[in-house]
């Protein structure tokens, strides 16, 4: 950081302009207005920050681009923030504290924040080189990819999606729901088998009922006709013909800038509990590119798997933490103490029309294992697309898998997050999705987290609705709820409808 005797505002440079950087800018704007900071944000894309989680919805025309935007470049510039779009950083010159762009320009910094995110994984397939993708082959990571998929759907092409993870499934569902012919190719017995276990086979059957062709196998190469994708080859000689291929094979943290300037990296850029790059004084990293792992060998929080989770919620939490710390330092206030990183088990949620799944905690426990305090209950109804698995230790829910049972899944998530014991009669939870339904064991209260991505409670959303918010978009603008994965939109909508139904009756 700059010497305390230096005049002028602190120069803060942010590399990367995604959702996490946009959240950090919200904290830095008042510092710019007060003259204590000069902020530059450098984005490689020509677009300002937008919600990548909803790119598939944009591609199929379900969500307009305007609804996924998280920042307004012109408004930021009007407030004094230097916004550089379509700019690529060539390298970081640490000795001279400057960022060098590929057009030869340089931007000096006192504090550098790397928010470079992650990049999609390019599978090793014959016909796919390390350069640009052939025509008809695309990732589904940015708005340019969304436009490519949209064009393929408009041309009524058969769309092949490679990847049985959340991203691949959501892309396949979005395209199929809008009338496209879709084939989803995955490894293993069924999509998401690694985290859903036997529930993955129930999910695969549910996907097939939506009209998606689900194919298991190992992909070996792509076929091109006149330079354009025409088929995906599998081991054993099978070829799946199609007009467009969507690659959804996972993502990796972008660490190339950090590697080139000798920062410590592993899966991501290594940072301490303050999000400062290890062995530096003036560089931080947040979001998908940051891996919180301090040097202290006795730190239990930094033991085990510390790789970035790749979820928007933890990234926003890091942006809040760093923004508050910067604000405190530059205004002379007490810097909030950084606690250990939040290592709570990631909650994975898949929610679409007629297809839903949720999983959290330890899910691979064997129902037949003999271990003191461990109890595993499994219930499955493949014919109706339902599966539930509950893992408890001394009665407390420590893991869950739920497919095709949205109300039961919501109740289990609530119990899991509270660390509550399950009712003695596990089957009572299954009745929540019966025709007659049933009352939840733990009714959601105002302190219950409704939007897990943004950390917004049910009470905060209710307050916004009572204050006049009459749509999901208005609630999102007022509270940030629903600006992440969108999985809470139905709950927000239900609270709005409930409020106005009561108001109309009174």
């Amino acid at each position: 950081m700059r010497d305390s005797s230096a005049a002028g505002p602190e120069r803060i440079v942010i590399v990367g302009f995604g959702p996490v950087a946009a959240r950090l800018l919200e904290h830095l704007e008042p510092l710019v207005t007060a003259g204590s900071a000069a902020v530059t944000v450098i984005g490689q894309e020509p677009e300002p920050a937008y919600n990548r989680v909803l790119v598939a919805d944009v591609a199929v025309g379900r969500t307009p681009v305007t609804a996924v935007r998280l920042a307004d470049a012109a408004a930021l510039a009007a407030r004094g923030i230097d916004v550089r779009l379509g700019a690529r950083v060539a390298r970081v010159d640490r000795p001279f504290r400057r960022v060098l762009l590929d057009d030869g320009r340089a931007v000096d910094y006192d504090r550098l924040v790397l928010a470079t995110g992650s990049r999609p994984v390019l599978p090793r397939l014959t016909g796919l080189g390390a350069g640009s993708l052939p025509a008809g082959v695309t990732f589904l990571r940015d708005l340019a990819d969304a436009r490519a998929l949209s064009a393929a759907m408009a041309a009524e092409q058969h769309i092949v999606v490679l990847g049985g993870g959340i991203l691949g499934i959501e892309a396949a569902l979005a395209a199929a729901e809008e009338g496209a012919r879709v084939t989803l190719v995955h490894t293993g017995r069924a999509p998401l088998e690694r985290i859903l276990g036997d529930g993955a086979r129930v999910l695969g059957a549910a996907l097939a009922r939506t009209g998606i062709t689900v194919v298991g196998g190992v992909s070996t190469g792509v076929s091109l006709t006149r330079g354009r994708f025409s088929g995906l080859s599998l081991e054993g000689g099978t070829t799946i013909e199609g007009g467009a291929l969507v690659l959804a094979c996972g993502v990796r943290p972008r660490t190339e800038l950090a590697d080139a300037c000798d920062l410590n990296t592993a899966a991501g850029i290594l940072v301490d509990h303050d999000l400062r790059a290890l062995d530096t004084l003036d560089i931080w990293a947040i979001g998908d590119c940051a891996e919180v792992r301090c040097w202290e060998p006795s730190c239990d929080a930094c033991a085990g798997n510390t790789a970035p989770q790749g979820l928007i919620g933890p990234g926003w939490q890091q942006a809040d933490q760093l923004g508050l710390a910067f604000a405190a330092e530059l205004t002379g206030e007490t810097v909030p103490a950084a606690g250990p990183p939040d290592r709570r088990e990631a909650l994975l949620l898949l929610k679409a029309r007629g297809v839903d799944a949720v999983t959290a905690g330890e899910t691979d426990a064997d129902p037949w294992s003999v271990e003191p305090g461990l109890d595993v209950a499994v219930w499955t109804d493949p014919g109706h697309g339902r599966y539930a698995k509950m893992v408890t230790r001394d009665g407390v829910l420590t893991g869950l898998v739920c497919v095709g049972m949205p109300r039961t899944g919501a109740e289990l998530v609530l119990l899991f997050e509270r660390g509550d014991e399950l009712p003695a009669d596990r089957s009572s939870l299954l009745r929540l999705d019966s025709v007659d339904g049933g009352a939840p064991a733990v009714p959601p209260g105002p302190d219950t987290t409704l939007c897990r991505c943004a950390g917004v409670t049910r009470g905060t959303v209710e307050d916004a609705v009572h204050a006049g918010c009459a749509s999901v978009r208005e609630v999102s603008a007022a509270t940030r709820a629903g600006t992440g994965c969108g999985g809470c939109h139905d709950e927000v909508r239900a609270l709005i409808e409930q409020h106005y139904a009561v108001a109309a009756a009174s």
Side-chain angles (χ1 to χ4, degrees):
M1 292 177 285
R2 179 184 298 189
D3 186 272
S4 58
S5 63
E10 188 88 352
R11 298 167 300 182
I12 302 174
V13 175
I14 305 170
V15 178
F17 196 8
V20 174
R23 183 73 160 253
L24 177 60
L25 286 173
E26 293 180 17
H27 294 279
L28 301 183
E29 279 185 35
L31 302 177
V32 174
T33 302
S36 55
V39 177
T40 299
V41 58
I42 303 170
Q44 186 171 316
E45 291 185 59
E47 305 275 353
Y50 56 89
N51 189 348
R52 296 186 187 278
V53 180
L54 299 179
V55 164
D57 284 356
V58 173
V60 302
R62 186 185 302 160
T63 301
V65 172
T66 54
V68 301
R69 295 198 188 282
L70 298 174
D72 184 328
L76 290 172
R79 297 183 188 113
I81 294 175
D82 182 6
V83 180
R84 305 194 184 193
L85 300 177
R88 186 185 297 270
V89 175
R91 66 186 180 91
V92 175
D93 185 350
R94 288 177 59 191
F96 290 92
R97 288 182 175 173
R98 60 182 180 177
V99 171
L100 303 176
L101 306 183
D102 63 359
D103 62 2
R105 291 180 295 170
V107 184
D108 296 326
Y109 67 82
D110 299 308
R111 303 175 189 232
L112 174 63
V113 180
L114 298 176
T116 50
S118 56
R119 66 169 69 253
V121 172
L122 178 66
R124 295 183 179 180
L125 300 177
T126 303
L128 291 183
S132 60
L133 297 175
V137 180
T138 184
F139 297 110
L140 197 53
R141 182 68 176 166
D142 56 32
L143 292 179
D145 297 334
R147 288 188 285 269
L149 179 56
S150 180
M153 292 185 61
E156 298 183 350
Q157 294 175 337
H158 175 203
I159 296 171
V160 181
V161 178
L162 177 58
I166 291 287
L167 179 62
I169 293 172
E170 289 182 340
L173 280 168
E177 288 172 2
E178 300 305 321
R181 181 186 169 204
V182 181
T183 296
L184 175 67
V185 181
H186 64 90
T187 56
R189 294 184 303 169
L192 290 179
E193 181 180 23
R194 183 178 61 83
I195 59 174
L196 295 184
D198 289 337
R201 302 176 71 178
V202 176
L203 175 64
L207 293 173
R209 285 194 291 271
T210 69
I212 297 173
T213 301
V214 182
V215 177
V218 177
S219 304
T220 58
V222 298
S223 303
L224 304 176
T225 301
R226 293 186 293 277
R228 185 176 184 84
F229 171 76
S230 58
L232 177 67
S233 302
L234 306 181
E235 266 186 1
T238 302
T239 297
I240 301 173
E241 297 181 350
L245 174 64
V246 176
L247 301 174
C249 303
V251 296
R252 290 198 182 102
R254 297 190 60 171
T255 63
E256 55 268 28
L257 282 177
D259 291 326
C261 67
D262 293 327
L263 293 179
N264 295 286
T265 63
I269 303 169
L270 293 179
V271 299
D272 60 20
H273 297 181
D274 293 315
L275 306 174
R276 193 191 308 262
L278 298 185
D279 297 331
T280 72
L281 294 175
D282 50 13
I283 300 177
W284 291 258
I286 56 177
D288 286 357
C289 69
E291 179 175 358
V292 182
R293 190 206 298 178
C294 69
W295 284 140
E296 180 55 54
S298 62
C299 179
D300 292 337
C302 292
N305 182 20
T306 59
Q309 294 180 343
L311 301 174
I312 195 169
W316 276 345
Q317 292 171 13
Q318 291 177 353
D320 289 341
Q321 175 187 338
L322 190 61
L324 292 171
F326 279 9
E329 289 178 12
L330 296 179
T331 57
E333 299 178 3
T334 302
V335 178
D342 188 350
R343 300 294 190 201
R344 287 179 298 177
E345 294 283 350
L347 174 71
L348 296 182
L349 176 69
L350 172 67
K351 195 169 187 179
R353 300 172 193 168
V355 180
D356 63 87
V358 63
T359 176
E362 55 175 333
T363 60
D364 56 355
D366 183 359
W368 306 107
S369 64
V370 179
E371 183 178 338
L374 175 67
D375 188 17
V376 182
V378 178
W379 182 83
T380 182
D381 181 7
H384 294 89
R386 295 180 174 186
Y387 175 92
K389 181 177 183 179
M390 312 170 207
V391 181
T392 60
R393 291 187 179 275
D394 297 323
V396 176
L397 185 65
T398 58
L400 66 102
V401 177
C402 206
V403 179
M405 305 177 69
R407 295 189 65 193
T408 300
E411 175 75 354
L412 289 175
V413 167
L414 189 59
L415 291 167
F416 174 78
E417 292 184 332
R418 291 188 178 186
D420 286 349
E421 292 188 19
L422 288 189
D425 180 9
R426 306 288 197 263
S427 66
S428 64
L429 295 168
L430 305 178
R431 299 189 188 106
L432 293 172
D433 285 288
S434 66
V435 175
D436 297 331
V442 184
D447 294 331
T448 302
T449 300
L450 187 147
C451 176
R452 292 174 181 83
C453 293
V456 180
T457 65
R458 182 184 181 93
T460 299
V461 172
E462 289 175 335
D463 290 344
V465 174
H466 293 160
C469 292
S471 68
V472 173
R473 182 175 295 188
E474 290 178 0
V475 169
S476 296
T479 68
R480 292 196 182 114
T483 55
C485 72
C488 64
H489 283 183
D490 286 347
E491 291 183 72
V492 173
R493 194 174 292 110
L495 288 178
I496 294 170
E497 292 173 353
Q498 177 183 341
H499 169 74
Y500 285 99
V502 172
S506 60

